[in-house]
Amino acid sequence: MTNKLIAFILSLAFTASSASVISSTTANADWEYENDNWYYYTEDGSKLTNDAVYDSNYGGVYYLDADGAMVTNKLMKHFQNDNFYCYYGCDGKMVTDTIQFVPEVNSYMAFDFDGFSVKNTWINDDLNYYFIGDDFLPVTDTWVYDTLYDGLYYLNSDGTMAANTWVYNEGSDHWFYVGETGNIVDDGSGIIPTGYIVNDVQLTDDDDEWFNWDEYENNVDDDFEWDSEIGLYRSTMLKDASCTLNDGTVYYFDNEGLSLKNRWIYTDHLSKDFSKGYYFFGDDCAKATDTYIHDDVTGHDFYVDSNGRLVDDGSGITPGNAYHHLLFV
């Protein structure tokens, strides 16, 4: 599974649909706990109903039902686009950037940075790949032909993509071996699995229906600024993502939009072949290259190559306290 857009699909694919204006908390507005429920009163004293509100104090979106009660543990159509779902957790906050078990459908669902349920795309959790189908649920016990990768992949009963194993296809009465990347290893038989589904809803470099990747890459310089109070760069758009400036400098922003500083990260997003590795972002928040890094946690010196990737020195030691990609890598 190699595609430079995988890391950004979930955070950017649905931005075009995020057009609605959401209410925000103000100094004269407040939450009130009444009759075992939370209610939100606007600055004019009226109770908010059938609407979402963003509370900056808690950093999340909440939804108030027809009676004004805050909803919890509930799957709903997304208030910005009813073609997608969102989920409000046990604390009432809309879940974002995560895989969430949803009791209503008795399955896990994936939600992007804006709380939109995702579909027709690959995700991974740093351990396994999953394919989310058109119904917003993980595909299981099924072959998927992906037009972007021009390959067939098998999803196990738990939704994980099969790799380095044999898979039997009853329709063709044939055993197929899938390699490390999930691709079928050509056995020369010319036989392909039957009963597969086709995924052709993917971003490509030549035809981006949702997002202009080249335009984004060329303008990320303007998306973040230096916060002198905390000594870090701050971004409103880049969260759990990297950006490369025109001069080649690479920065990485955590899930709160703050640049990593004097910190290792373990990810597959920064390598051209999308294999996992360690990278270090130094005192200037930029990715280090062609240098030795002393790790205070392990007391070990590590060397990073011209691409910034940690070179295996045979010690078996890995950097301590490394930042890991949250989910969508």
Side-chain angles (χ1 to χ4, degrees), residues 97-275:
D97 185 29
T98 192
I99 296 176
Q100 170 76 42
F101 182 78
V102 179
E104 288 98 319
V105 295
N106 193 33
S107 177
Y108 286 90
M109 296 179 68
F111 300 89
D112 72 6
F113 289 103
D114 294 317
F116 286 96
S117 55
V118 305
K119 65 177 181 177
N120 299 320
T121 193
W122 293 93
I123 65 170
N124 80 43
D125 58 4
D126 274 347
L127 296 175
N128 296 289
Y129 278 94
Y130 303 81
F131 184 76
I132 308 300
D134 192 59
D135 59 357
F136 303 102
L137 303 179
V139 170
T140 60
D141 297 313
T142 304
W143 291 92
V144 173
Y145 174 71
D146 194 291
T147 58
L148 178 59
Y149 306 114
D150 189 24
L152 280 157
Y153 303 86
Y154 187 76
L155 288 308
N156 298 311
S157 59
D158 62 355
T160 59
M161 183 186 73
N164 296 321
T165 189
W166 289 93
V167 179
Y168 177 71
N169 179 239
E170 185 174 354
S172 63
D173 190 25
H174 192 77
W175 284 92
F176 297 91
Y177 187 79
V178 292
E180 183 176 358
T181 60
N183 297 89
I184 295 176
V185 176
D186 187 1
D187 59 7
S189 68
I191 302 174
I192 62 172
T194 61
Y196 59 83
I197 63 175
V198 177
N199 173 48
D200 58 4
V201 186
Q202 286 278 6
L203 294 176
T204 69
D205 293 341
D206 300 323
D207 183 21
D208 290 350
E209 295 182 11
W210 291 318
F211 196 73
N212 188 324
W213 175 264
D214 292 329
E215 181 180 339
Y216 174 74
E217 279 197 321
N218 292 331
N219 288 281
V220 292
D221 308 50
D222 302 326
D223 183 61
F224 60 89
E225 60 184 5
W226 180 254
D227 189 328
S228 59
E229 291 187 7
I230 59 176
L232 298 172
Y233 289 104
R234 183 187 296 275
S235 173
T236 57
M237 184 176 185
L238 296 166
K239 294 184 178 181
D240 210 35
S242 68
C243 76
T244 303
L245 304 189
N246 293 331
D247 64 3
T249 305
V250 178
Y251 296 98
Y252 197 93
F253 294 84
D254 65 16
N255 59 306
E256 295 182 351
L258 299 178
S259 60
L260 296 187
K261 181 177 181 179
N262 295 321
R263 186 83 184 269
W264 290 93
I265 180 175
Y266 181 68
T267 180
D268 61 4
H269 172 56
L270 295 171
S271 60
K272 293 182 179 180
D273 60 358
F274 279 77
S275 57

